[in-house]
Amino acid sequence: MKKVFLIIGIIAGALLLLCCGGGVALYFLADTTTYAKPADACVTVTGAQGMSAFGAVKDKQNKDTNAFGRTYGGCVVTFDTAGTLTVAIDVPSSASDVRTHYDAVKKLAGSATAAGATVTDVDGIGTKAFAMYTTTGGALMYELDFYDGNLYISLNLTTATGTTLTPDKVRADFLVIGKSMMQSLESSSGSDLDD
């Protein structure tokens, strides 16, 4: 009787190894896009399609951020009328670093709901994306965070009181801008997005 259980155990173990081991192998063989760090974050941001939706650019400044054990680039763009757009672009060598970055920021955003922020998942860009916004005092603060491969991008628009911009309009514009930035940062050594 013990021999029967031993044989069943060996067969079950082999099937489990085959199943999970095959899944792990397929994960590492899967086609993933890699991205290159921008030489100049403001050139990447202001050159993205969709930026004209917020009007004329009054000023732009590169801004590095130190977080998650590394320094990553970004840009602060001030528009004549729409407000200020702050963009962070994190391109580490590891996709797991990007997922950790995204999960940490989303957790912080989730805690902001107690202060009146609305946080929702967003489809149509990257591997995962979420948006957070508030309309306190007639001003709009809208943030879109997403990651894909080894790329993490955060777009954050802050407007003045009395803005006519709506969360739906900003989300649609951010999707266009984000996709354009992804395309411009796609590494030539990575996979082709059209495959």
Side-chain angles (χ1 to χ4, degrees):
M1 188 66 165
K2 287 183 182 179
K3 216 176 204 182
V4 171
F5 286 122
L6 179 62
I7 292 170
I8 291 173
I10 291 170
I11 291 171
L15 288 173
L16 183 62
L17 181 62
L18 180 63
C19 173
C20 295
V24 169
L26 286 175
Y27 174 79
F28 286 108
L29 293 175
D31 196 23
T32 58
T33 303
T34 57
Y35 297 87
K37 183 177 178 179
D40 184 317
C42 280
V43 169
T44 300
V45 173
T46 57
Q49 290 178 349
M51 285 293 289
S52 61
F54 299 116
V57 173
K58 183 177 177 182
D59 186 44
K60 60 182 178 180
Q61 299 289 325
N62 282 305
K63 180 187 175 189
D64 286 346
T65 302
N66 295 306
F68 303 97
R70 59 191 175 274
T71 301
Y72 51 92
C75 183
V76 179
V77 181
T78 305
F79 296 96
D80 278 337
T81 57
T84 302
L85 173 66
T86 303
V87 181
I89 306 169
D90 188 11
V91 190
S93 57
S94 167
S96 64
D97 289 341
V98 170
R99 286 191 302 273
T100 300
H101 186 161
Y102 176 87
D103 291 342
V105 174
K106 187 169 184 191
K107 185 176 181 181
L108 288 172
S111 65
T113 57
T118 300
V119 179
T120 58
D121 289 329
V122 175
D123 294 327
I125 190 165
T127 302
K128 278 190 178 181
F130 78 89
M132 174 179 73
Y133 69 89
T134 62
T135 54
T136 308
L140 173 66
M141 187 290 299
Y142 193 97
E143 181 173 343
L144 173 68
D145 289 68
F146 65 92
Y147 77 90
D148 187 70
N150 66 319
L151 174 67
Y152 171 91
I153 292 180
S154 174
L155 300 155
N156 186 322
L157 181 70
T158 305
T159 71
T161 301
T163 183
T164 58
L165 291 171
T166 64
D168 288 344
K169 166 83 167 98
V170 175
R171 180 180 60 245
D173 293 335
F174 273 7
L175 288 176
V176 172
I177 294 166
K179 288 176 184 178
S180 178
M181 290 175 62
M182 288 172 69
Q183 188 174 21
S184 69
L185 294 172
E186 185 182 356
S187 175
S188 59
S189 63
S191 303
D192 192 339
L193 286 173
D194 295 331
D195 284 354

